[in-house]
C-alpha cells in the first residue's frame, strides 16, 4: 500500500516567484524622474536662479527627456532644486546665492545620482549579489594541501 | 502648519497630479459641499500631467514610439472605469489596458518560454514553468512597474473580494502596466523588436535556478540519471579532508562516472559532502546553458513585417535562421510527474 512522504523541501509556489533587477546589464533605466525648481520672484538670493530658469532650463529639459521638470514660485523663500528618484527618496539642494555655473553643476549632480543614501566610504564592506568570477581561494583545492 | 504642507506635498508628489493640468481648480465640489468632498478620491481621478507620461516613455527608450495618450492607457487599469463614471457620468469612458495587458502577457510567456527552453535544454518541465513565472510572472511585472516609476501614474480602484471575483490588490494592477507596454511596442513596431525589448527589460534580470531544483534523495536521482545516459555507475571518492574529529571538519567529495568527474561537494560530514556532490552533478546536467551566441529562437522565423507573414524565410546562415536545438533527455520518473511523494514499499 503506497504511503505519502512529507515533502523534503518547501514547495515552490509559482505565484510568489520573482526576479532581481539588473539595471544596466542590457538596458539602463535612469533613476531620476523629476526635478522641481523653487524660486522667489523678488528676493536677490534667487536672482541667478531666475537667470538660469530663463536661459538654460529649456535646453536642460530637451536634453533630458526622461526627467519631468517643474518650476514653482515660492516667494519669501530661498531658492532650491529638489530631485525625485525611483527609489522613493528625494534630494534637496539649496541654490541660495549660487552663480549660474554652480547651479548647472548641482543640477548635473542631481541628474547623475541614483537617489540612494550617501554611504561612508571608509567603513564599507564589499557586497556583491553575484558569485565571484574566479572563485574564492580554497586551501583544499591547491596542489599541496595548505597547512595553517 | 509646516507638517500639513509637507504631507500635502508628499501626497501630491506620490499621485503625480499638478493643479495646472486639473480641470477647474479649486474643484467646485470642494467649495459647494466640503463635508462630502474627499481630496484623495479627487486626486486619484485627475489625469497625470503629460510630462510625466512622456518621461516614463523616454525612461524606457520608447520616447519616439509611444504617445502620452497611449502611455496613459497603459497605466489605466479596467477597475478605474467604475470609479470614474461614478464621479464624472457625463464624460467619455477612459481607455483601459485590459486587452493590451492580455496581449502583452501572451507575448511575455512566448518569449520567456522559448528563451529558457533554448538556453537550458535539459531543464525539467516543472522547473522550466517555475523559471518562466520567475522571469515574467505577476510579481516580477509588479516590481518592474515600480522600478520604472509607473506607480504614481497608475490609475486603478481597489476592490474587495466578492463571491464571484477575487480581490484586486495593488500588485495585480501594477503588473498590468509592463504587459501593456510590451503589447504597445508590438503594435507599433514588429515582433523581433518586441522580443529584443523583452530580452532587455525582463530576461536580463537575475533568477537563481538552482533554488528550483531540489531533490529528496540526490544520490538515487543521480544513479537513475546516469543509468539513463548509459554511463558507468557513479562512485563517490574523498578528494580532500581536514579537521576530522575536530568540531569543524571539512570534507570534499567528488562523484565520478568512470574517469569523468560529475560533480563535487563539500560538507562537515562525509554524508553531507556526498549529498552536495550528487546535487552539484545534477545541477551541472540540468543547468547546462547554451552560449548566447549559439542561441537560436523559434520566433526568429516570424516575419518582421505583417505583409509576408506566411512566406518569410530568414536568410540562410544568418543568426535569424532557426536550427532546432538538441532535445534534452526526458526526465527520470523519480519524485516527478503525477507520483510526487508517493513511495511504494518493496513487496516481500
Amino acid at each position: 500500500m503506497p504511503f505519502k512522504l512529507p515533502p523534503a523541501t518547501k514547495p515552490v509556489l509559482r505565484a510568489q516567484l520573482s526576479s532581481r533587477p539588473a539595471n544596466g546589464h542590457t538596458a539602463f533605466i535612469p533613476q531620476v524622474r523629476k526635478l522641481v525648481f523653487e524660486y522667489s520672484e523678488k528676493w536677490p538670493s534667487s536672482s541667478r536662479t531666475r537667470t538660469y530658469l530663463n536661459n538654460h532650463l529649456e535646453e536642460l529639459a530637451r536634453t533630458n527627456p526622461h526627467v519631468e521638470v517643474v518650476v514653482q514660485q515660492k516667494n519669501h523663500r530661498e531658492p532650491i532644486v529638489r530631485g525625485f528618484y525611483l527609489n522613493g527618496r528625494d534630494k534637496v539642494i539649496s541654490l541660495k546665492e549660487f552663480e549660474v555655473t554652480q547651479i548647472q553643476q548641482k543640477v548635473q549632480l542631481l541628474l547623475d545620482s541614483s537617489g540612494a543614501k550617501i554611504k561612508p566610504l571608509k567603513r564599507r564592506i564589499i557586497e556583491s549579489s553575484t558569485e565571484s568570477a574566479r572563485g574564492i581561494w580554497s586551501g583544499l583545492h591547491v596542489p599541496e594541501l595548505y597547512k595553517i | 502648519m509646516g507638517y500639513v504642507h509637507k504631507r500635502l506635498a508628499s501626497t501630491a508628489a506620490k499621485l503625480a497630479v499638478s493643479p495646472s493640468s486639473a480641470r477647474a481648480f479649486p474643484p467646485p465640489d470642494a467649495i459647494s459641499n466640503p463635508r462630502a468632498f474627499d481630496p484623495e478620491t479627487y486626486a486619484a481621478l485627475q489625469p497625470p500631467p503629460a510630462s510625466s507620461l512622456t518621461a516614463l516613455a523616454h525612461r524606457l527608450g520608447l520616447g519616439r514610439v509611444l504617445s502620452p495618450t497611449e502611455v496613459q492607457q497603459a497605466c489605466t487599469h479596467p477597475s478605474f472605469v467604475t470609479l470614474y463614471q461614478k464621479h464624472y457620468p457625463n464624460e467619455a469612458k477612459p481607455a483601459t489596458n485590459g486587452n493590451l495587458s492580455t496581449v502583452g502577457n501572451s507575448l511575455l510567456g512566448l518569449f520567456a518560454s522559448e528563451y529558457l527552453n533554448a538556453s537550458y535544454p535539459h531543464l525539467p518541465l516543472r522547473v522550466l514553468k517555475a523559471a518562466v513565472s520567475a522571469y515574467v510572472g505577476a510579481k516580477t511585472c509588479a516590481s518592474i512597474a515600480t522600478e520604472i516609476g509607473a506607480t504614481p501614474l497608475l490609475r486603478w480602484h481597489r476592490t474587495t473580494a466578492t463571491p464571484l471575483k477575487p480581490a484586486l490588490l495593488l500588485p495585480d494592477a501594477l503588473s498590468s502596466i509592463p504587459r501593456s507596454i510590451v503589447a504597445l511596442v508590438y503594435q507599433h513596431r514588429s515582433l523581433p523588436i518586441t522580443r529584443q525589448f523583452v530580452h532587455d527589460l525582463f530576461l536580463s534580470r537575475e533568477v537563481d535556478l538552482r533554488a528550483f531544483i531540489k531533490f529528496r534523495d540526490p544520490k538515487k536521482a543521480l544513479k537513475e540519471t546516469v543509468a539513463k545516459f548509459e554511463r558507468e555507475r557513479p562512485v563517490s571518492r574523498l578528494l580532500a579532508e581536514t579537521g576530522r574529529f575536530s568540531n569543524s571538519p571539512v570534507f570534499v567529495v567528488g562523484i565520478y562516472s568512470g574517469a569523468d568527474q560529475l560533480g563535487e561537494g563539500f560538507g562537515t560530514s562525509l554524508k553531507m559532502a556526498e549529498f552536495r556532490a550528487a546535487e552539484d552533478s545534477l545541477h551541472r546536467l540540468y543547468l547546462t546553458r547554451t552560449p548566447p551566441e549559439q542561441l537560436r529562437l523559434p520566433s526568429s522565423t516570424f516575419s518582421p513585417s505583417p505583409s509576408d507573414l506566411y512566406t518569410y524565410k530568414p536568410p540562410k546562415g544568418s543568426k535569424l535562421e532557426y536550427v532546432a536545438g538538441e532535445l534534452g533527455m526526458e526526465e527520470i520518473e523519480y519524485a516527478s510527474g503525477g507520483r510526487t511523494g508517493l513511495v511504494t514499499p518493496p513487496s516481500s
Side-chain angles (χ1 to χ4, degrees):
Chain A
M1 175 113 148
F3 57 89
K4 200 154 193 239
L5 286 171
T9 55
K10 278 194 217 164
V12 167
L13 300 169
R14 280 169 54 194
Q16 292 177 1
L17 295 177
S18 65
S19 54
R20 283 211 311 254
N23 197 18
H25 284 202
T26 40
F28 176 65
I29 296 177
Q31 295 295 299
V32 58
R33 67 173 176 89
K34 183 151 79 167
L35 282 178
V36 177
F37 291 86
E38 289 175 21
Y39 72 100
S40 166
E41 193 56 51
K42 296 250 173 66
W43 280 17
S45 54
S46 303
S47 66
R48 279 79 152 213
T49 312
R50 291 194 292 273
T51 318
Y52 175 84
L53 294 175
N54 282 321
N55 300 343
H56 297 101
L57 192 67
E58 202 179 320
E59 195 201 324
L60 174 86
R62 264 185 225 290
T63 46
N64 297 287
H66 57 277
V67 184
E68 264 183 271
V69 177
V70 176
V71 175
Q72 273 185 330
Q73 185 177 331
K74 283 246 164 108
N75 294 328
H76 309 295
R77 298 274 185 280
E78 305 294 353
I80 61 152
V81 59
R82 193 189 298 264
F84 291 89
Y85 296 89
L86 297 181
N87 61 357
R89 293 190 73 246
D90 65 335
K91 284 170 92 120
V92 185
I93 299 179
S94 166
L95 302 174
K96 177 181 171 184
E97 310 279 356
F98 270 34
E99 298 292 334
V100 172
T101 46
Q102 290 171 313
I103 296 173
Q104 281 173 334
Q105 279 175 8
K106 291 302 181 192
V107 167
Q108 194 57 43
L109 191 154
L110 287 181
L111 288 173
D112 295 337
S113 172
S114 73
K117 261 186 133 168
I118 295 172
K119 290 184 194 165
L121 285 174
K122 298 212 166 150
R123 286 188 279 115
R124 266 216 305 222
I125 53 170
I126 297 170
E127 286 172 31
S128 174
S129 56
T130 50
E131 292 171 12
S132 59
R134 294 179 60 192
I136 300 171
W137 178 86
S138 157
L140 296 163
H141 290 92
V142 286
E144 211 179 283
L145 204 68
Y146 182 78
K147 291 222 179 318
I148 299 168
Chain B
M1 203 51 182
Y3 170 71
V4 168
H5 279 160
K6 269 194 233 171
R7 262 306 285 279
L8 193 64
S10 67
T11 315
K14 274 183 218 158
L15 294 170
V17 165
S18 67
S20 59
S21 62
R23 286 179 192 76
F25 193 78
D29 300 337
I31 300 166
S32 60
N33 200 357
R35 275 213 200 127
F37 180 73
D38 180 26
E40 294 209 358
T41 315
Y42 168 76
L45 286 166
Q46 304 315 305
S51 57
S52 57
L53 300 166
T54 50
L56 174 61
H58 276 102
R59 232 175 278 138
L60 292 167
L62 303 173
R64 293 185 195 279
V65 180
L66 305 177
S67 68
T69 356
E70 283 165 341
V71 178
Q72 191 169 331
Q73 184 187 0
C75 294
T76 309
H77 193 264
S79 61
F80 181 69
V81 174
T82 41
L83 179 70
Y84 191 82
Q85 292 197 309
K86 191 168 135 194
H87 288 90
Y88 301 111
N90 301 322
E91 303 215 10
K93 269 201 283 194
T96 60
N97 69 8
N99 289 337
L100 288 173
S101 176
T102 314
V103 172
N105 194 28
S106 308
L107 286 168
L108 285 173
L110 163 72
F111 294 132
S113 324
E114 68 169 2
Y115 175 78
L116 288 168
N117 192 31
S119 291
Y120 301 99
H122 297 284
L123 208 61
L125 184 66
R126 281 175 165 233
V127 178
L128 177 67
K129 286 161 97 175
V132 168
S133 296
Y135 274 105
V136 295
K139 205 165 172 200
T140 304
C141 287
S143 331
I144 288 178
T146 44
E147 280 157 33
I148 62 178
T151 322
L153 306 172
L154 171 70
R155 297 197 295 169
W156 72 302
H157 184 51
R158 186 187 295 270
T159 48
T160 49
T162 61
L164 297 171
K165 265 197 209 174
L168 180 72
L169 305 171
L170 181 62
D172 309 323
L174 277 175
S175 61
S176 65
I177 298 181
R179 291 172 184 155
S180 319
I181 292 174
V182 168
L184 282 169
V185 173
Y186 177 59
Q187 271 184 1
H188 284 274
R189 295 288 185 265
S190 63
L191 194 93
I193 295 197
T194 318
R195 184 177 63 223
Q196 190 56 49
F197 179 72
V198 168
H199 279 221
D200 288 344
L201 194 60
F202 290 82
L203 300 177
S204 62
R205 293 166 73 88
E206 288 172 12
V207 172
D208 190 9
L209 294 181
R210 289 174 301 185
F212 303 149
I213 309 180
K214 289 282 186 188
F215 301 91
R216 177 191 303 285
D217 190 350
K219 273 181 70 179
K220 183 167 177 225
L222 180 65
K223 193 172 123 186
E224 292 177 16
T225 313
V226 167
K228 215 163 198 179
F229 276 91
E230 289 165 5
R231 283 166 155 248
E232 291 184 42
R233 69 174 188 88
V235 170
S236 31
R237 301 197 169 105
L238 183 64
L239 298 175
E241 61 158 311
T242 177
R244 196 190 283 244
F245 305 124
S246 74
N247 81 333
S248 50
V250 179
F251 298 102
V252 178
V253 168
I255 291 194
Y256 290 79
S257 167
D260 313 315
Q261 183 176 19
L262 299 176
E264 195 178 290
F266 69 95
T268 46
S269 66
L270 286 162
K271 281 190 188 167
M272 198 62 217
E274 203 179 3
F275 185 99
R276 285 208 181 97
E279 260 197 340
D280 183 45
S281 321
L282 289 162
H283 282 167
R284 280 172 194 278
L285 165 66
Y286 287 131
L287 296 175
T288 13
R289 191 170 182 177
T290 325
E293 53 273 6
Q294 291 176 22
L295 210 60
R296 297 283 179 266
L297 300 171
S299 69
S300 62
T301 56
F302 280 62
S303 156
S305 71
S307 53
D308 57 347
L309 203 59
Y310 300 111
T311 53
Y312 175 74
K313 269 193 175 53
K316 258 200 178 343
S318 79
K319 212 178 160 207
L320 295 174
E321 198 191 9
Y322 177 62
V323 175
E326 58 164 310
L327 281 177
M329 178 73 79
E330 65 190 76
E331 294 133 54
I332 49 171
E333 282 288 321
Y334 172 70
S336 71
R339 307 181 65 220
T340 310
L342 281 171
V343 175
T344 319
S347 53
S348 44

